[in-house]
Amino acid sequence: MFPARCPTGALSALLLLTLSGCSSWGCADTTAKRGEAGVSVRVENTYGQRSGVTAEVVDWRLRPHPQAPSEGDRVHFTYRFDGAGEHSGPAVDACAVDAKRVALGCLTVHASGARHLPDGALGGDDWLTVERPERVAGVLLIPNDRSYEPRGCAQDVKDGGGTHPPAPAGPGDRL
């Protein structure tokens, strides 16, 4: 175990560090499973529990971005969050997909960046850039809340760890 010449003070210090949580033995990071994408989704936390918030793609269309019309068509979509808080609401990934539900381009939309709608929901719009806009068959949302990323073991061995959102979706991912 320890050499015979190991000072008892060093052994005590090692034991103290281990018991105080300064050891990486107790820190574990896990990743949540990606939820089922849809036009309308119930937002869920990293443990798969529903938050009481619904996110929905209201409309989408292909058109040139007004600030870069020479770059061709992009995917312009509108979305809404029902049940979300104005300042600390969830965030979900939005992805333009082809007919086989393969992601062509994705980004994260935040309820906190949306505006108040007359019915009390929060809504907004955004743009997705995709390589081949003619392949876009729809825009889907992924229900995993991306508004909070807890510290991992690599950043904080003592207090980090836990369940993290799945990796963001990207081009080529099947949703």
Side-chain angles (χ1 to χ4, degrees):
M1 180 165 158
F2 288 97
R5 289 188 222 131
C6 184
T8 57
L11 196 54
S12 296
L14 180 61
L15 181 62
L16 182 63
L17 286 173
T18 302
L19 293 175
S20 69
C22 292
S23 166
S24 62
W25 295 334
C27 193
D29 285 322
T30 58
T31 303
K33 182 180 175 191
R34 184 180 291 161
E36 179 70 28
V39 172
S40 179
V41 297
R42 293 183 181 164
V43 180
E44 57 189 49
N45 65 19
T46 55
Y47 299 102
Q49 300 164 333
R50 293 186 176 155
S51 66
V53 176
T54 302
E56 177 183 5
V57 174
V58 177
D59 190 23
W60 71 272
R61 63 190 62 196
L62 294 176
R63 63 184 198 148
H65 192 286
Q67 295 176 342
S70 64
E71 294 179 9
D73 283 342
R74 295 186 186 177
V75 181
H76 181 236
F77 68 101
T78 56
Y79 59 89
R80 66 181 282 136
F81 287 94
D82 287 295
E86 168 181 15
H87 300 292
S88 61
V92 295
D93 284 342
C95 297
V97 296
D98 66 12
K100 294 180 180 179
R101 295 175 61 109
V102 174
L104 303 171
C106 301
L107 60 79
T108 303
V109 292
H110 298 262
S112 61
R115 63 188 175 281
H116 285 282
L117 300 175
D119 65 359
L122 297 171
D125 68 303
D126 218 323
W127 297 83
L128 285 160
T129 302
V130 297
E131 191 173 310
R132 301 200 34 217
E134 70 277 3
R135 291 183 51 205
V136 176
V139 176
L140 300 178
L141 301 175
I142 299 172
N144 303 87
D145 185 2
R146 302 199 59 80
S147 63
Y148 173 69
E149 176 75 34
R151 291 180 299 204
C153 295
Q155 293 87 23
D156 188 346
V157 173
K158 183 178 176 197
D159 298 323
T163 306
H164 301 273
D173 289 352
R174 186 166 192 139
L175 306 179

